[in-house]
């Protein structure tokens, strides 16, 4: 039994290319939720013949035909979002990072020790992120074990793909919102991991949708003992993902360097490749005077074994050259959060430079530093951020492709989808529409009946004679994508699918 979609399809191929297919045919297994096959170009007159060639007969198929102005695309992957901060969206615009945490964020997060409050709040949060088109999210919970179990349970109930972590934080936080010891923090983290791994996968699926992720909030909030304990836990469990913050704000970086001088750090569990002919410790060349070296933010995490291929590092606004080399060597990924970086006056991350270094980059909403739970807002602000950098930088080196340049639409699409899959170490399963991958997808509409006044309906083009055949259908489909990315919102997301199951969007009825 299959569900077959017929109509326009857009999917990323690389950072510079995507496929725009006006008349695609895509089949999804109802048993597994995986994509069975795709036909790129099927004229309407050949539809039944093509279905028959694949052995699909009318009684075995649910055929969904898309209208003009509707298209299929991969679901968005939000690699950095704080679920308990959603109630704070739009608050604290006057602050920078550290003051914002103290005055806005920590008071709200502390309330999630009440599991009834947590369940009611998280139910609204998860419905929102799904309806905005985020099929996969990397969620930060709070420091509360039971409250974060509730977050995982709610996500599991609604069928979203997600990573869920309990914040580890035993220092530099208010007395009312801090863990009592490193041991208590690690033990609670182990309990959460066990709880999440006990949640069953969907019927017909061999892999879980909800997975645990190790979540040291940031270096400032963790003692050496806690980071060492988390590093030990990570070493015991190579498949366990890791998420944290890095180099978001200049004051945060200075405080981190003060707390973790290189002389206080252990050698990384796995030696780094030699950088400029010298090994490194704490992100500084060996032999440097310890009294003068401040080390690097990335070097702190690396010293405790927390940088690896399945590590998600949020922000990376002010990375030093040595940190870029460390992150590249460890194959860790970056979650670019431009909405938050603008809003909290943190700065503009040089995403193009990171891409030219071969570092994996994705997008995050970073609610509620970011004031929207929509990856579309992150796409729009990532574009603006790249333009700000391009305007301020000297002419970029000729041998680079992305450094200090505006990010084009194919790159923005890639960061929002396949880039997120790469950062989450899920690239073989999600991020693009291809046979054998999970059907995590959106049905998008840029028609007038989407009722989004910011989006010019393509049916109006027909009515006014703007769509007059001068452009090919493929080029017009590219235009539809750009309208959605820059003018769309949740009203344009008609359907949201995860692992083949229809779970959200404007047409969804619980």
């Amino acid at each position: 039994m299959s569900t077959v979609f017929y109509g326009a399809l857009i999917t990323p191929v690389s950072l510079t290319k995507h496929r725009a297919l006006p008349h695609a045919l895509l089949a999804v297994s109802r048993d597994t939720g995986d994509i069975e096959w795709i036909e790129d170009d099927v004229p309407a007159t050949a539809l039944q013949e093509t279905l028959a060639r694949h052995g699909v007969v009318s009684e075995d198929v649910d055929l969904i035909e898309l209208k003009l102005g509707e298209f299929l695309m991969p679901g968005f992957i939000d690699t950095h979002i704080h679920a308990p901060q959603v109630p704070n969206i739009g608050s604290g615009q006057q602050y920078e990072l550290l003051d914002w945490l103290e005055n806005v964020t920590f008071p709200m997060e502390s309330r999630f020790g009440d599991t009834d409050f947590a369940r009611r709040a998280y139910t609204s949060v998860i419905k929102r992120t799904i309806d905005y088109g985020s099929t996969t999210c990397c969620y930060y919970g709070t420091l509360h074990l039971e409250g974060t179990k509730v977050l995982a349970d709610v996500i599991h109930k609604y069928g979203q793909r997600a990573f869920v972590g309990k914040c580890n934080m035993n220092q530099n936080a208010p007395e009312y919102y801090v863990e009592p010891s490193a041991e208590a923090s690690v033990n609670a983290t182990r309990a959460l991991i066990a709880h999440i791994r006990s949640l069953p996968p969907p019927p017909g699926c061999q892999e879980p949708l909800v997975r645990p992720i190790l979540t040291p909030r940031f270096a400032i909030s963790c003692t050496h003992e806690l980071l060492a304990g988390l590093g030990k836990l990570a070493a015991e469990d190579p498949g366990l993902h890791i998420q944290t913050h890095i180099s978001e704000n200049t004051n945060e970086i200075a405080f981190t360097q003060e707390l973790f001088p290189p002389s206080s750090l252990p050698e990384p569990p796995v030696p780094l490749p030699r950088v400029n002919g010298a090994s490194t410790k704490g992100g500084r060349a060996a032999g440097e005077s310890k009294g003068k070296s401040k080390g690097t933010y990335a070097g702190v995490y690396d010293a405790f074994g927390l940088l690896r291929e399945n590590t998600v590092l949020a922000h990376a606004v002010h990375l030093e050259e040595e940190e870029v080399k460390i992150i590249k060597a460890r194959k860790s990924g970056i979650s670019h959060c431009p909405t938050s970086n603008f809003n909290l006056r943190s700065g503009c991350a040089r995403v193009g430079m990171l891409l030219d270094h071969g570092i994996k980059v994705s997008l995050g909403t970073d609610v509620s530093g970011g004031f929207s739970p929509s990856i579309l807002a992150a796409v729009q602000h990532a574009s603006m951020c790249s333009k700000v950098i391009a305007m301020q930088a000297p002419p970029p080196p000729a041998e680079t492709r992305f450094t200090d340049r505006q990010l084009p639409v194919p790159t923005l699409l890639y960061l929002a989808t396949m880039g997120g899959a790469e950062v989450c170490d899920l690239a073989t399963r999600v991020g693009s529409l291809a046979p054998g991958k999970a059907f995590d997808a959106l049905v998008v509409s840029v028609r007038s009946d989407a009722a989004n006044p910011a989006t010019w309906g393509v049916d109006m083009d027909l009515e006014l004679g703007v769509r007059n055949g001068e452009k090919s259908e493929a080029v017009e489909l590219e235009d539809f994508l750009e309208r959605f990315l820059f003018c769309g919102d949740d009203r344009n997301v008609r359907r949201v699918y995860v692992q083949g199951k229809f779970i959200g969007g404007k047409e969804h009825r619980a």
Side-chain angles (χ1 to χ4, degrees):
M1 299 287 285
S2 302
T3 299
V4 176
F5 294 83
Y6 179 54
L9 181 154
I10 295 172
T11 189
V13 175
S14 69
L15 283 164
T16 57
K17 182 181 179 182
H18 58 268
R19 304 174 77 206
L21 309 173
H23 302 287
L25 197 60
L26 179 150
V28 180
S29 167
R30 292 189 201 170
D31 294 330
T32 67
D34 286 349
I35 299 171
E36 296 178 305
W37 49 264
I38 298 175
E39 293 281 353
D40 289 357
D41 186 17
V42 180
T45 54
L47 178 57
Q48 294 304 320
E49 176 190 343
T50 306
L51 291 172
R53 180 158 46 82
H54 283 280
V56 178
V57 294
S58 57
E59 58 266 25
D60 292 335
V61 65
D62 178 16
L63 181 63
I64 298 174
E65 297 190 56
L66 304 183
K67 303 172 184 177
L68 173 68
E70 294 180 335
F71 58 89
L72 272 179
M73 66 171 289
F76 293 132
I77 299 178
D78 184 348
T79 54
H80 187 68
I81 178 169
H82 294 263
Q85 293 179 19
V86 173
N88 277 340
I89 280 184
S91 301
Q93 310 297 307
Q94 68 272 32
Y95 296 116
E96 288 191 14
L97 175 64
L98 298 181
D99 290 335
W100 174 78
L101 289 171
E102 179 182 353
N103 291 285
V104 179
T105 300
F106 290 155
M108 175 56 71
E109 288 193 12
S110 68
R111 300 189 62 177
F112 284 79
D114 178 341
T115 55
D116 180 64
F117 176 88
R119 188 172 304 279
R120 286 183 292 135
Y122 284 145
T123 296
S124 177
V125 169
I126 302 311
K127 287 181 178 178
R128 290 168 192 241
T129 60
I130 290 172
D131 286 343
Y132 268 108
S134 292
T135 51
T136 300
C137 287
C138 293
Y139 287 110
Y140 283 59
T142 61
L143 59 74
H144 309 103
L145 170 60
E146 296 305 320
T148 308
K149 285 182 180 179
V150 169
L151 173 59
D153 291 345
V154 171
I155 296 166
H156 183 262
K157 174 183 176 180
Y158 285 100
Q160 190 179 42
R161 195 180 302 274
F163 296 88
V164 179
K166 184 202 79 64
C167 284
N168 302 106
M169 43 188 296
N170 70 331
Q171 69 170 2
N172 293 313
E175 288 186 6
Y176 65 83
Y177 189 57
V178 67
E179 293 179 292
S181 68
E183 182 181 14
S185 183
V186 172
N187 288 342
T189 298
R190 289 185 184 275
L192 178 67
I193 292 169
H195 174 78
I196 293 174
R197 286 179 172 165
S198 73
L199 300 173
C205 184
Q206 300 302 311
E207 60 191 5
L209 291 183
V210 184
R211 307 184 192 206
I213 187 166
L214 207 60
T215 309
R217 186 179 197 115
F218 56 172
I220 289 172
S221 70
C222 301
T223 60
H224 288 67
E225 182 185 2
L226 178 52
L227 289 177
L230 296 175
K232 182 175 183 293
L233 199 164
E236 296 168 358
D237 194 347
L240 179 63
H241 288 64
I242 303 166
Q243 63 180 356
T244 190
H245 300 76
I246 192 168
S247 299
E248 179 179 358
N249 172 280
T250 54
N251 291 330
E252 168 211 16
I253 296 167
F255 193 16
T256 301
Q257 292 172 331
E258 178 185 329
L259 290 170
F260 296 93
S263 59
S264 72
L265 299 176
E267 293 289 345
V270 178
L272 271 169
R274 299 179 75 82
V275 178
N276 294 329
S279 62
T280 61
K281 177 181 178 182
R284 290 298 183 202
E288 235 179 57
S289 168
K290 290 181 180 179
K292 294 181 180 179
S293 172
K294 292 184 178 179
T296 66
Y297 205 148
V300 174
Y301 293 136
D302 195 51
F304 294 101
L306 296 172
L307 295 185
R308 60 190 190 188
E309 191 168 3
N310 54 6
T311 298
V312 183
L313 297 168
H315 302 295
V317 176
H318 304 285
L319 291 179
E320 298 180 30
E321 183 178 350
E322 291 172 60
E323 294 181 288
V324 173
K325 292 175 181 177
I326 293 171
I327 293 167
K328 168 65 175 174
R330 296 304 192 201
K331 301 181 181 178
S332 301
I334 302 298
S335 179
H336 177 39
C337 306
T339 308
S340 172
N341 296 157
F342 280 130
N343 191 42
L344 297 179
R345 305 194 303 279
S346 298
C348 289
R350 295 183 64 207
V351 169
M353 176 273 292
L354 297 173
L355 294 175
D356 279 333
H357 276 81
I359 291 175
K360 300 174 294 187
V361 180
S362 59
L363 295 179
T365 57
D366 192 28
V367 171
S368 68
F371 47 74
S372 171
S374 173
I375 283 291
L376 287 170
V379 166
Q380 294 152 18
H381 294 137
S383 176
M384 293 183 204
C385 180
S386 71
K387 292 172 183 176
V388 169
I389 290 171
M391 288 188 292
Q392 295 179 341
E399 68 274 11
T400 62
R401 191 176 226 178
F402 301 102
T403 299
D404 299 340
R405 292 173 172 86
Q406 174 184 337
L407 297 177
V409 168
T411 306
L412 295 168
L413 173 65
Y414 195 91
L415 297 184
T417 54
M418 196 63 198
E422 291 173 343
V423 168
C424 291
D425 202 25
L426 292 176
T428 61
R429 295 296 295 141
V430 297
S432 63
L433 302 179
K437 283 193 166 186
F439 187 65
D440 286 18
L442 312 179
V443 174
V444 172
S445 172
V446 286
R447 296 170 55 85
S448 296
D449 57 14
N452 177 359
T455 305
W456 181 261
V458 300
D459 45 317
M460 288 295 294
D461 289 344
L462 278 176
E463 183 178 327
L464 297 173
V466 175
R467 191 174 186 266
N468 54 16
E470 292 181 359
K471 296 181 180 179
S472 70
E473 289 182 301
V475 171
E476 286 188 328
L477 184 51
E478 302 265 3
D479 291 344
F480 299 168
L481 172 65
E482 193 166 5
R483 290 186 198 189
F484 173 57
L485 292 180
F486 285 91
C487 303
D489 61 24
D490 61 311
R491 288 168 289 190
N492 301 98
V493 179
R494 308 308 297 169
R495 291 180 167 226
V496 179
Y497 292 85
V498 171
Q499 199 64 50
K501 184 179 178 182
F502 178 25
I503 68 166
K506 287 304 174 188
E507 294 180 4
H508 185 261
R509 298 292 181 267

